[in-house]
């Protein structure tokens, strides 16, 4: 009896705060992943265009479903602010053949009242706020994390680094999920480590957990 062929693996990449433009580092990441034979789809989220969290979640859910229909297996990678949206999307589609990777993303508000408060990091005190990012983190903390089953946590990989002055590292973690700390410093260092150096580690994780 022969086993059925394994589905292809695709990546839905959800970027951090910004207008969703693809810059030089994003092009490098896309090229690096495609060299490994992975279809790497950049969601291009514009965090400042005023869309609500519900609208963003609906968009990511649609994009993930489209990739699942084409490839069969999807790893949703959320970088920085994209981490909470990746977890929210995974939770909506947790009955599908998907896994989630939180790459240095904030998953809880925390008790910070200084520059590391969620209010400040979501730029709510500026003329360019991202209310949807704030709401997404609150949703993950209040609705997603408390309701994840042990089996669902097996489908989540958390990537952190040694230091991060933008996202406190203790706010990235998920109890019961697989975690990997890269030898990197700072927020940009985490981005480069997680999206470039950890590529094969992520692929191995997805191949192990997905059908």
């Amino acid at each position: 009896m022969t086993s059925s062929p394994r589905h292809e693996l695709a990546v839905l990449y959800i970027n951090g705060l910004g207008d969703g433009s693809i810059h030089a580092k994003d092009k490098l990441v896309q090229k690096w992943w495609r060299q490994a034979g992975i279809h790497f789809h950049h969601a291009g989220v514009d965090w400042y265009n005023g869309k609500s969290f519900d609208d963003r979640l609906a968009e990511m859910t649609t994009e993930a479903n489209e990739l699942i229909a084409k490839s069969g297996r999807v790893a949703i990678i959320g970088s920085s602010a994209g981490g909470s949206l990746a977890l929210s999307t995974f939770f909506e589609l947790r009955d599908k053949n998907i896994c989630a990777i939180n790459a240095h993303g904030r998953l809880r508000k925390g008790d910070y009242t200084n520059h590391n408060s969620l209010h400040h990091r979501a730029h709510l005190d500026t003329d360019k706020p991202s209310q949807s990012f704030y709401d997404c983190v609150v949703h993950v903390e209040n609705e997603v994390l408390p309701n994840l089953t042990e089996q669902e946590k097996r489908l989540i990989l958390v990537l952190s680094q040694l230091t991060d002055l933008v996202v406190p590292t203790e706010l990235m973690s998920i109890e019961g999920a697989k975690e990997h700390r890269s030898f990197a410093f700072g927020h940009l260092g985490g981005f480069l480590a997680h999206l470039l150096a950890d590529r094969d580690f992520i692929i191995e994780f997805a191949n192990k957990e997905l059908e």
Side-chain angles (χ1 to χ4, degrees):
M1 179 178 177
T2 60
S3 59
S4 58
R6 170 170 281 197
H7 293 114
E8 294 181 4
L9 177 65
V11 166
L12 173 59
Y13 171 69
I14 305 178
N15 55 279
L17 284 183
D19 62 6
S21 298
I22 297 178
H23 301 287
K25 63 182 176 62
D26 301 303
K27 293 178 180 179
L28 176 63
V29 168
Q30 286 182 318
K31 182 178 180 180
W32 182 239
W33 280 80
R34 287 170 180 168
Q35 284 179 354
I38 303 297
H39 174 62
F40 190 93
H41 176 70
H42 191 298
V45 175
D46 181 354
W47 288 96
Y48 302 128
N49 63 7
K51 287 187 178 179
S52 69
F53 161 65
D54 288 339
D55 287 341
R56 295 204 192 285
L57 181 57
E59 289 177 350
M60 291 304 102
T61 300
T62 297
E63 292 194 27
N65 272 324
E66 290 175 351
L67 287 175
I68 292 169
K70 292 177 181 178
S71 299
R73 299 186 301 150
V74 173
I76 308 173
I77 303 177
S79 173
S80 190
S84 57
L85 188 50
L87 260 293
S88 297
T89 305
F90 166 82
F91 193 67
E92 288 294 304
L93 301 175
R94 58 194 184 278
D95 59 333
K96 303 291 182 69
N97 200 19
I98 63 171
C99 63
I101 295 88
N102 176 38
H104 54 277
R106 186 178 195 137
L107 303 180
R108 291 180 292 280
K109 286 180 64 177
D111 297 323
Y112 293 89
T113 57
N114 57 9
H115 63 282
N116 272 331
S117 70
L118 181 58
H119 185 275
H120 179 76
R121 289 303 179 188
H123 301 171
L124 299 186
D125 49 1
T126 72
D127 59 358
K128 203 173 184 181
S130 182
Q131 183 67 49
S132 61
F133 168 50
Y134 185 98
D135 294 342
C136 191
V137 172
V138 172
H139 173 76
V140 168
E141 181 171 19
N142 294 339
E143 303 296 335
V144 176
L145 297 182
N147 293 301
L148 288 169
T149 67
E150 293 305 311
Q151 177 59 35
E152 289 159 1
K153 289 178 181 179
R154 287 185 55 189
L155 297 169
I156 299 172
L157 172 63
V158 176
L159 301 176
S160 62
Q161 63 271 31
L162 297 178
T163 64
D164 194 320
L165 297 179
V166 177
V167 179
T169 55
E170 75 273 11
L171 301 182
M172 304 175 184
S173 63
I174 300 175
E175 184 178 357
K178 184 177 181 64
E179 299 197 22
H180 172 73
R181 178 163 291 188
S182 302
F183 188 78
F185 300 90
H187 206 60
L188 179 58
F191 173 88
L192 296 175
H194 301 154
L195 274 301
L196 295 175
D198 292 338
R199 180 198 66 183
D200 293 348
F201 184 83
I202 296 172
I203 293 173
E204 181 180 353
F205 169 79
N207 283 337
K208 178 182 177 181
E209 300 299 338
L210 300 180
E211 299 175 0

